[in-house]
Amino acid sequence: MPEAMATARASDNTGNQATQQVDVAVVGAGFAGLYLLYRLRKAGLKTVALEEAGDVGGTWYWNRYPGARCDIQTIDYSYTFDPDLERVWTWSEKYATQPEILRYLGFVADRYDLRREIRFGTKVTTARWDEAAECWQLTTDNGANVSCRHYIMATGCLSTPKPPEIDGVKDFKGEVYFTGRWPHDEVKLAGKRVAVIGTGSSGIQSIPFFAEQAAQVTVFQRTPNFALPAHNGSAPADRKALLEKDRAGYREQARWSLAGVPYPQQTVVSWQLSDAERRERFERAWAAGDLVHILTQLWADQGVDVDGNALVAELMREKIRASVNDPDTAETLSPHDHPFGAKRPCLDTNYYATYNRPNVTLVNLRQEPIKAITATGIATDKRSFDVDVIVFATGFDAMTGAITAVHPIAGRAGKSLSSVWANGPQTYLGLTVAGFPNLFMITGPGSPSVLSNMVVSIEQHVDWVVDRLSAMREAGFTVMEATETAQAGWARHMSDCAMLTLHRLANTWYTGANVPGKVQGVMPYTGGVGPYRSICSEVVSRGMLGFKLSGPNVAEQCNDGEVVRLQPDVRLVLNMLADMNLPPIETFGAAGARLFVNEFNKSRPLGRPVGEVVDGTLPGSDGPLPYRLYRPATPGPHPIVVYFHGGGWVLGDEQSDDPFCRDMCRRSGMIFVSVGYRHAPEHRFPTAAEDGYAATRWIAEHAVELGGRSGPVLVAGWSAGGNIAAVTCQLARERGGPQIAGQLLVCPVVDCTFDRPSYTENATGYFLTRSLMYWFWDIYCSPADRTDPRVSPLRGKLEGLPPAFLVTCEFDPLRDEGIAYGDALAKAGVPVEQLQARGHFHSSFTMVDMVITGVSGREKMADALRRFAGQAGASENARHARTAPRPEVDAAE
Ligand code: NA7
């Protein structure tokens, strides 16, 4: 029986001051609050929703400014929990207006009779966790206080308008409006002079309306924003047809997509397309008038790589120049300070063309900041503007403001949520906070929320929370609380995810930068809706990982830990590989395995362009060997890196690490020569080692012919190639040359024993398995030869070797032997730097286009190579370093 039924009779909302006892209290009656009420009632939990507004609607109740619409297509911006609801409600437009969305939410509230559990006009003034009673005690400003076992914040992300932060607002004698708190009665602007401060979505949507009514509109812009024409009208036929053809499938695809809208994942990268092809895609996106489309469907690197993004940004600026007659105004409206999509782009109707009207003026606050608001208008440090009306479209204290600014929340030991979040929001899954038992947030910081179709995220969060409450009740648990370990792990995962996108490169409300003094960091979860959903499910399937559960008559349960320890993109790659259900590579036999790897490599996107790629042959230890040379686009001569591919001495060839070689050639500004050394079983130990050494010697002797710099070469290799590079350094020292200036060893094989912990911890599940390593060793090298330093360089003499940069990955069987080699080199007096990459697996750094979080590691590798070559900063890299995403948080360490 729900607890509340057994406790004191609930008070009504007529002012009876007896505390209202419920199982669950919800704050807010917007999209999240309404669906919560629906689900909680079905779950048999007694619930009250407390809503400050006079009616349902949440953000859509308050944001009534002219032109307010959603910016996700309405067929997607709808509840999906009840197919009948979808049948009885039809949206009239592609992007519904605020009044229509409000009507929809009212319709939903009536259809499911939800209003009877809502106390309108009621604000929660404090919330306190009562340790003794194990429930939340809420005070309200209207009617009874509330006592509840569970407390759920369905307060939205954009519900606390930001104060204007401009002196003198109180002195102004005219009318003042905030877009986020627009009056319910009509605001008459005819014949008036209107100032608008702010050019985010609210400004961009409303300015064209103001311009049509007012005598004069002056727009005060601090940062220009990208906007795309909405091309509103009826819902596009193609999207509608897709939905109608298979409604359930369409909705399910949305739930597993990245943004909560069912678009496929784009795989073509910008450099695979010609200028004309890119323009054609862009024009199609422009005509579609759909933010999710333009943000996700142009080319795969647009959202993750500054160079790929710059191509879209320039096409957008071209459109602004084409729409605005005055070139100076067009330039002022053109964003240059942030990547496209890093700040939320807007959907507009006639926004840019509005600046062609004679009654509209744009003021660039970057050139003339506002000094003060005066009795008659706005004074910048250059001019004064007399106006009758000031509209603040200045945005919100987003995400956290909607929770902490609403009322004080005190958790265990009376700790306030504001103080716990003083250095930025800390959550587990964006749904819960350690130290705040039974408190839940819907679309809280740390969840995909504003980077997704909110309705899809809301339904997922609500389902997850209500299912947990039901499961707790069944098991006899009454208290649920996130652990500190789980929360700290989520913070790490959040910052790893933030490395994936470009959001960290812009000052926005996503990062808290719009509110003076607010701690900055990317607040929404950037890993995507589908991955987030799977993580939430994983928490449950792993026994409520990271939660402590307790109850009066049951043993406490705490399955502590971090739900995601892999880098987010590594997790996706490994999940994808697991879904392919491949048989172990070693079961194919050597020939079959080679065929498999070749096929697998064909599915990779082409590596990035470099100056030149030349194929050739060189004399090996016993006959010619193929090589592939990658030359930078910058003027030479360049230092040469002799590169050895991975593949366990059995697989691969001089082309198989093509994307890695191209990437490193660009980053380091050096020639990479990838050597096609011979493989086992045809050529067993020590062939690979001898070929590697012979090739290095020949390349060093022919450096100038190859267009490289004379003098010492560098060596590099990955996996078994790292083994060959390490061995080559030892052989070169013993055999009197060639001179090697440095060695880059990426996840190298360096020893023949399999007893280090990483061989057990990472034996399976991370692509390179222990059994595959056994197989490689068996094919290449007899047991009797294995301690030879030409295959186990850890057992060789290490003094006097060239400086090394040694990369190991946390989830790699080879991790510990790599670290051991680095330690042994250092002990032998060799200058060595180790990069121990957290959350990465054996292939992280060579899967260049799939593991974006490998970028910062490759930047470090390139830096090391340049240092070895005596070059502090090479030209191509310097260019790259300027434009490549600069990690704020280093994911690779
Ligand atoms: P936004 O997107 O935060 O936009 C606020 C705008 O106001 C933005 O252009 C700000 O410039 C500007 N602003 C804020 N404070 C000031 C001050 N003090 N002086 C001058 N200009 C200022 O809020 P919106 O309401 O438009 O949209 C919020 C979301 O709602 C939107 O993304 C949709 O998802 C729906 P800044 O960029 O900070 O320089």
Side-chain angles (χ1 to χ4, degrees):
M1 175 166 60
E3 290 167 47
M5 290 187 188
T7 57
R9 177 89 193 91
S11 69
D12 55 25
N13 57 1
T14 56
N16 181 344
Q17 293 305 307
T19 298
Q20 182 177 8
Q21 308 275 348
V22 289
D23 297 314
V24 187
V26 171
V27 185
F31 267 101
L34 292 180
Y35 183 48
L36 270 166
L37 287 176
Y38 172 84
R39 280 290 328 260
L40 288 164
R41 186 190 294 164
K42 276 195 159 229
L45 290 158
K46 184 170 176 57
T47 305
V48 65
L50 303 156
E51 170 57 65
E52 187 182 352
D55 199 354
V56 299
T59 207
W60 295 107
Y61 176 90
W62 299 107
N63 275 271
R64 298 172 175 250
Y65 59 84
R69 290 177 187 271
C70 56
D71 59 8
I72 296 278
Q73 291 198 26
T74 349
I75 56 170
D76 298 305
Y77 193 74
S78 308
Y79 288 120
T80 66
F81 63 85
D82 179 359
D84 284 343
L85 172 62
E86 295 197 48
R87 265 188 282 281
V88 294
W89 180 272
T90 308
W91 294 102
S92 65
E93 286 182 282
K94 178 179 168 190
Y95 297 105
T97 57
Q98 175 268 340
E100 187 175 14
I101 300 173
L102 201 56
R103 272 201 306 281
Y104 173 71
L105 291 171
F107 176 81
V108 169
D110 292 339
R111 180 180 167 88
Y112 303 102
D113 189 18
L114 302 177
R115 289 177 204 273
R116 67 183 153 99
E117 274 141 4
I118 307 174
R119 284 170 53 184
F120 291 109
T122 304
K123 209 175 149 174
V124 181
T125 45
T126 61
R128 180 179 60 83
W129 174 248
D130 181 338
E131 302 267 7
E134 294 194 324
C135 61
W136 284 92
Q137 307 293 0
L138 316 181
T139 57
T140 71
D141 70 349
N142 180 16
N145 292 336
V146 175
S147 175
C148 55
R149 178 71 75 197
H150 303 282
Y151 186 38
I152 309 182
M153 304 295 287
T155 37
C157 298
L158 297 159
S159 37
T160 306
K162 187 174 85 93
E165 305 140 8
I166 301 170
D167 290 342
V169 181
K170 287 201 177 70
D171 301 336
F172 182 60
K173 298 276 184 278
E175 301 160 52
V176 173
Y177 300 105
F178 285 81
T179 48
R181 288 287 181 274
W182 198 257
H184 289 207
D185 303 328
E186 193 195 349
V187 175
K188 295 199 166 70
L189 297 177
K192 294 182 182 162
R193 295 162 301 169
V194 177
V196 183
I197 304 178
T199 51
S201 283
S202 306
I204 284 177
Q205 286 184 335
S206 57
I207 287 164
F209 282 82
F210 299 151
E212 275 174 18
Q213 298 164 34
Q216 171 69 35
V217 173
T218 310
V219 178
F220 294 83
Q221 173 194 277
R222 189 162 67 184
T223 312
N225 216 335
F226 290 105
L228 178 79
H231 300 305
N232 211 0
S234 48
D238 56 339
R239 304 298 302 167
K240 244 170 84 179
L242 271 179
L243 174 67
E244 277 158 15
K245 195 169 133 218
D246 175 10
R247 191 169 285 272
Y250 182 98
R251 297 300 189 203
E252 196 58 10
Q253 199 191 336
R255 292 181 189 119
W256 291 100
S257 66
L258 284 179
V261 177
Y263 280 117
Q265 200 159 348
Q266 185 53 244
T267 51
V268 177
V269 280
S270 59
W271 62 86
Q272 287 176 282
L273 301 166
S274 66
D275 285 352
E277 285 167 331
R278 282 197 297 267
R279 183 170 291 275
E280 200 266 321
R281 283 178 179 227
F282 175 79
E283 291 294 347
R284 228 182 312 136
W286 187 263
D290 179 341
L291 283 181
V292 181
H293 180 106
I294 199 166
L295 285 166
T296 62
Q297 300 298 298
L298 293 181
W299 37 89
D301 49 325
Q302 69 176 99
V304 294
D305 178 84
V306 270
D307 291 341
N309 187 280
L311 296 163
V312 196
E314 185 44 33
L315 289 164
M316 294 289 291
R317 287 190 288 265
E318 209 177 89
K319 289 288 186 190
I320 299 173
R321 291 193 287 273
S323 310
V324 179
N325 297 342
D326 173 44
D328 289 341
T329 305
E331 185 50 30
T332 305
L333 288 166
S334 298
H336 288 279
D337 73 330
H338 63 273
F340 172 68
K343 197 178 182 102
R344 193 176 180 106
C346 308
L347 275 180
D348 79 280
T349 302
N350 296 330
Y351 176 63
Y352 293 116
T354 294
Y355 291 92
N356 297 332
R357 295 175 66 111
N359 68 334
V360 177
T361 307
L362 180 65
V363 178
N364 184 350
L365 297 181
R366 297 280 176 208
Q367 286 173 359
E368 45 177 318
I370 295 178
K371 237 177 26 196
I373 291 176
T374 63
T376 56
I378 296 177
T380 69
D381 65 2
K382 291 200 178 126
R383 296 180 275 177
S384 286
F385 298 86
D386 284 349
V387 294
D388 307 303
V389 176
I390 300 179
V391 175
F392 287 96
T394 41
F396 300 86
D397 180 356
M399 311 220 49
T400 51
I403 297 168
T404 53
V406 178
H407 57 270
I409 301 177
R412 276 201 199 284
K415 266 202 182 156
S416 83
L417 188 60
S418 305
S419 68
V420 170
W421 283 6
N423 294 320
Q426 301 295 317
T427 70
Y428 182 35
L429 305 171
L431 292 166
T432 58
V433 185
F436 293 80
N438 291 359
L439 172 72
F440 298 92
M441 297 165 296
I442 305 302
T443 66
S447 76
S449 60
V450 290
L451 291 179
S452 69
N453 174 357
M454 288 291 271
V455 191
V456 168
S457 285
I458 283 169
E459 287 190 336
Q460 185 270 341
H461 293 179
V462 169
D463 288 341
W464 194 90
V465 170
V466 178
D467 289 347
R468 299 291 67 71
L469 299 192
S470 301
M472 279 173 75
R473 190 179 51 192
E474 263 161 46
F477 292 121
T478 48
V479 180
M480 168 177 170
E481 184 181 349
T483 68
E484 295 284 353
T485 310
Q487 187 162 286
W490 192 248
R492 256 191 305 279
H493 177 57
M494 285 280 293
S495 82
D496 290 343
C497 287
M499 291 293 298
L500 277 177
T501 70
L502 304 178
H503 289 106
R504 68 190 187 285
L505 302 181
N507 292 327
T508 65
W509 57 262
Y510 293 145
T511 65
N514 67 327
V515 176
K518 190 165 173 176
V519 174
Q520 291 194 34
V522 180
M523 290 187 287
Y525 178 77
T526 54
V529 166
Y532 175 84
R533 174 179 290 268
S534 79
I535 292 168
C536 289
S537 303
E538 193 179 326
V539 165
V540 178
S541 68
R542 290 171 68 186
M544 290 303 285
L545 184 68
F547 283 106
K548 197 157 65 184
L549 298 161
S550 59
N553 304 313
V554 282
E556 185 175 292
Q557 176 194 313
C558 182
N559 186 12
D560 206 0
E562 297 170 41
V563 61
V564 185
R565 291 180 56 210
L566 291 165
Q567 291 294 329
D569 41 7
V570 169
R571 182 175 181 273
L572 290 183
V573 167
L574 288 172
N575 284 347
M576 192 188 75
L577 289 168
D579 286 348
M580 289 163 80
N581 226 345
L582 300 167
I585 294 177
E586 57 272 31
T587 59
F588 294 139
R594 286 175 191 160
L595 208 66
F596 167 78
V597 169
N598 283 346
E599 284 305 307
F600 192 80
N601 285 347
K602 274 190 208 154
S603 65
R604 297 180 304 198
L606 261 187
R608 280 176 188 259
V610 293
E612 187 185 23
V613 178
V614 184
D615 289 328
T617 52
L618 55 80
S621 58
D622 183 24
L625 301 175
Y627 71 79
R628 175 164 279 197
L629 180 148
Y630 302 86
R631 195 187 311 287
T634 50
H638 309 92
I640 295 187
V641 180
V642 183
Y643 178 77
F644 302 105
H645 66 82
W649 307 286
V650 177
L651 314 173
D653 55 33
E654 73 283 3
Q655 301 180 24
S656 56
D657 291 352
D658 189 81
F660 181 68
C661 290
R662 287 170 183 266
D663 188 84
M664 290 302 295
C665 164
R666 286 165 58 92
R667 282 180 201 284
S668 64
M670 295 182 186
I671 291 173
F672 265 63
V673 184
S674 175
V675 177
Y677 57 88
R678 287 171 296 165
H679 293 138
E682 296 85 345
H683 306 281
R684 304 190 78 213
F685 171 82
T687 307
E690 293 299 341
D691 276 358
Y693 171 71
T696 306
R697 200 181 51 202
W698 184 87
I699 291 166
E701 284 164 3
H702 296 80
V704 176
E705 264 165 64
L706 293 169
R709 206 173 72 175
S710 64
V713 292
L714 301 109
V715 294
W718 166 57
S719 194
N723 173 275
I724 297 169
V727 168
T728 295
C729 291
Q730 295 193 10
L731 295 179
R733 182 202 50 202
E734 277 154 29
R735 297 177 185 177
Q739 266 193 300
I740 297 175
Q743 47 181 329
L744 167 64
L745 310 178
V746 185
C747 306
V749 185
V750 286
D751 196 24
C752 56
T753 57
F754 309 105
D755 52 4
R756 293 186 176 86
S758 57
Y759 251 100
T760 314
E761 289 166 18
N762 307 317
T764 58
Y766 302 105
F767 200 53
L768 178 67
T769 60
R770 179 168 57 189
S771 86
L772 183 56
M773 280 308 300
Y774 288 162
W775 185 69
F776 284 145
W777 272 99
D778 287 344
I779 293 182
Y780 181 55
C781 193
S782 318
D785 292 328
R786 289 189 186 178
T787 53
D788 189 313
R790 285 176 299 167
V791 70
S792 290
L794 183 59
R795 290 165 194 258
K797 181 178 161 234
L798 304 181
E799 285 75 13
L801 290 175
F805 190 84
L806 210 144
V807 182
T808 50
C809 290
E810 185 178 5
F811 295 98
D812 181 359
L814 305 182
R815 178 192 69 205
D816 291 343
E817 66 192 75
I819 292 173
Y821 195 58
D823 292 346
L825 285 173
K827 212 166 151 210
V830 176
V832 56
E833 280 174 74
Q834 290 207 33
L835 171 63
Q836 295 177 12
R838 181 177 56 75
H840 282 287
F841 80 130
H842 187 69
S843 306
S844 277
F845 292 106
T846 47
M847 279 192 157
V848 169
D849 296 304
M850 298 192 79
V851 182
I852 310 292
T853 51
V855 166
S856 73
R858 287 196 302 276
E859 279 184 356
K860 289 196 175 87
M861 295 178 210
D863 284 347
L865 289 174
R866 279 198 309 281
R867 275 196 307 279
F868 296 154
Q871 297 183 316
S875 49
E876 173 68 5
N877 188 72
R879 188 200 68 78
H880 206 98
R882 220 178 36 248
T883 54
R886 301 301 299 175
E888 278 173 358
V889 184
D890 194 340
E893 281 177 327

